[in-house]
Structure formats: C-alpha cells, structure tokens
Amino acid sequence: EAAVTQSPRNKVTVTGGNVTLSCRQTNSHNYMYWYRQDTGHGLRLIHYSYGAGNLQIGDVPDGYKATRTTQEDFFLLLELASPSQTSLYFCASSGYEQYFGPGTRLTVL
Amino acid sequence: QQQVRQSPQSLTVWEGGTTVLTCSYEDSTFNYFPWYQQFPGEGPALLISILSVSDKKEDGRFTTFFNKREKKLSLHIIDSQPGDSATYFCAASALEEGADRLTFGKGTQLIIQP
C-alpha cells in the first residue's frame, strides 16, 4: 500500500499569514493531489500534479498555490491565509488507485 | 461542475444488520467508482472499487453494485459491526482522461449500534 505522509499535522496561523503544507509519497506514484475537507462539502480538489514541475488546477484553487519539487514531494502554499481556509487538508497520490495521507488540520484565526 | 450525490447523509444501523449506502452521478463518461472509508483523525482509505464494465464486486462483508442505465451505485455492508462506524465516501472518475481525478460525494456518516 502507498505511503503518504503530511506535515505538520496541525497548524494555527493568523489572517494574512504564510503557510506551507508538505506532502511526501514513497511509492513513486506519478500523480499527487491536494484536497480540502469541510463538513457538508466532502473532499474538494485544490491542485494536482502528474510529475515534478507540473501543476494542474483543481476545482477550488483560489487562494492556493502548489509546487511539485520532486516525484516524492508536493507542497501547498497559502500566501495570505484567510479564515475561510480553515479546513482539514489531505494529500493523496496515485498510480491507479488514490491513497491518502493522514491530513493536516489548519486553523486561520 | 460534475456532481456525485450521496445518500443518506447519516445512518444508524444495529449491529448485525445490513447497511446500504447509495450514490448517483451525472457524467456518463465516469467509468471508475471507488468507495472510501474514513475514521476520525485519519485520511480516507480505499475500501472497494468497481469499473463500469461490472455490475457487482464483493470483498468480504462489503459489496458494491453498479447500475449504468440508472447512473447509480451502492455499497452494502452485511453483518455490520461497531468497527464499521465511519464516514463513507463514494467517488467517480473517467479514467480515459489520463488522470485519476476523482469527484467525491459529500459522505455518509455511519454509526453501528451494539
């Protein structure tokens, strides 16, 4: 089974703050994804990538940047965090089936 | 935006009973339908999946059914156990697009009462 790790697991920041969420997968999957999960909305795709240097826009990209530096590492950047970005963030990777990390709970005060 | 509709939003079942969760979708290009199980504090985990060329897939106590004509799928859990208490998500994608870009339902919170 694919191994996907995320850091930090919890993060608190203030409005306007700068936040970077990290994700690493160790199974050489080509595709990696960032989702946010909110009550009543399920999982919504923010950005995804099919390889180092590649970035594709998801369904809810506003306010988020992402960068895939290597096959293993995918970062989500919030440069001016807002309270509306308080959420549970999941990273996933896939070759055929998607495997999720444990999540990062972000609170923007 | 492509949608996957999931029902019910929450469900309580007695231990030993059969749980039935359902989803419907709109996009006829969808051909891959996974179900994910999520426990509190964890990420979603793939439970079972089905391709549109099949109408049924079993894995132990879990069975997923697919009806292409009605654009519906369901997850059945027989002999439901308290350990099955979790949130369940259905999802869909069109694999020919070259990416496993899943569209998720909003989830069903399942409680199995002892």
Side-chain angles (χ1 to χ4, degrees):
Chain A
E1 187 172 326
V4 181
T5 56
Q6 295 183 234
S7 63
R9 294 296 311 276
N10 290 281
K11 177 73 177 179
V12 179
T13 190
V14 296
T15 299
N18 200 322
V19 177
T20 297
L21 307 184
S22 302
C23 177
R24 166 165 286 196
Q25 56 100 1
T26 58
N27 275 21
S28 301
H29 284 162
N30 288 329
Y31 287 95
M32 296 186 73
Y33 311 80
W34 277 106
Y35 293 88
R36 61 177 291 172
Q37 183 176 31
D38 305 286
T39 302
H41 291 279
L43 289 147
R44 294 182 289 175
L45 182 64
I46 303 170
H47 291 298
Y48 65 106
S49 165
Y50 57 73
N54 175 265
L55 181 65
Q56 303 293 315
I57 295 172
D59 298 320
V60 289
D62 292 347
Y64 301 96
K65 294 183 179 180
T67 180
R68 179 90 175 269
T69 55
T70 65
Q71 180 80 355
E72 294 77 22
D73 298 303
F74 196 27
F75 300 92
L76 186 67
L77 296 83
L78 293 74
E79 294 184 333
L80 289 171
S82 72
S84 65
Q85 293 176 309
T86 293
S87 187
L88 185 55
Y89 291 87
F90 288 102
C91 176
S93 72
S94 73
Y96 174 66
E97 296 167 337
Q98 280 195 29
Y99 296 94
F100 284 78
T104 295
R105 184 167 296 280
L106 174 66
T107 303
V108 183
L109 301 174
Chain B
Q1 183 179 343
Q2 300 167 341
Q3 287 191 340
V4 174
R5 293 186 173 85
Q6 188 169 350
S7 63
Q9 186 175 353
S10 62
L11 180 64
T12 299
V13 175
W14 290 108
E15 181 177 357
T18 297
T19 297
V20 181
L21 311 179
T22 62
C23 284
S24 64
Y25 64 97
E26 299 172 357
D27 191 331
S28 58
T29 66
F30 286 157
N31 58 4
Y32 170 66
F33 304 91
W35 287 89
Y36 283 83
Q37 179 188 56
Q38 184 180 27
F39 295 107
E42 298 182 8
L46 181 64
L47 181 64
I48 191 170
S49 64
I50 191 167
L51 294 171
S52 59
V53 294
S54 302
D55 56 14
K56 177 183 175 181
K57 187 174 182 181
E58 270 184 77
D59 185 357
R61 295 185 295 108
F62 300 89
T63 301
T64 184
F65 295 91
F66 175 69
N67 186 319
K68 187 173 186 176
R69 183 180 60 83
E70 295 186 6
K71 294 183 180 176
K72 290 184 178 179
L73 57 154
S74 62
L75 177 68
H76 294 230
I77 309 172
I78 62 171
D79 188 25
S80 300
Q81 300 296 307
D84 297 331
S85 297
T87 299
Y88 292 80
F89 294 95
C90 63
S93 72
L95 288 180
E96 290 87 3
E97 292 180 355
D100 187 14
R101 178 171 174 163
L102 293 171
T103 299
F104 282 85
K106 293 183 178 181
T108 296
Q109 187 173 12
L110 174 65
I111 297 172
I112 306 299
Q113 288 277 18

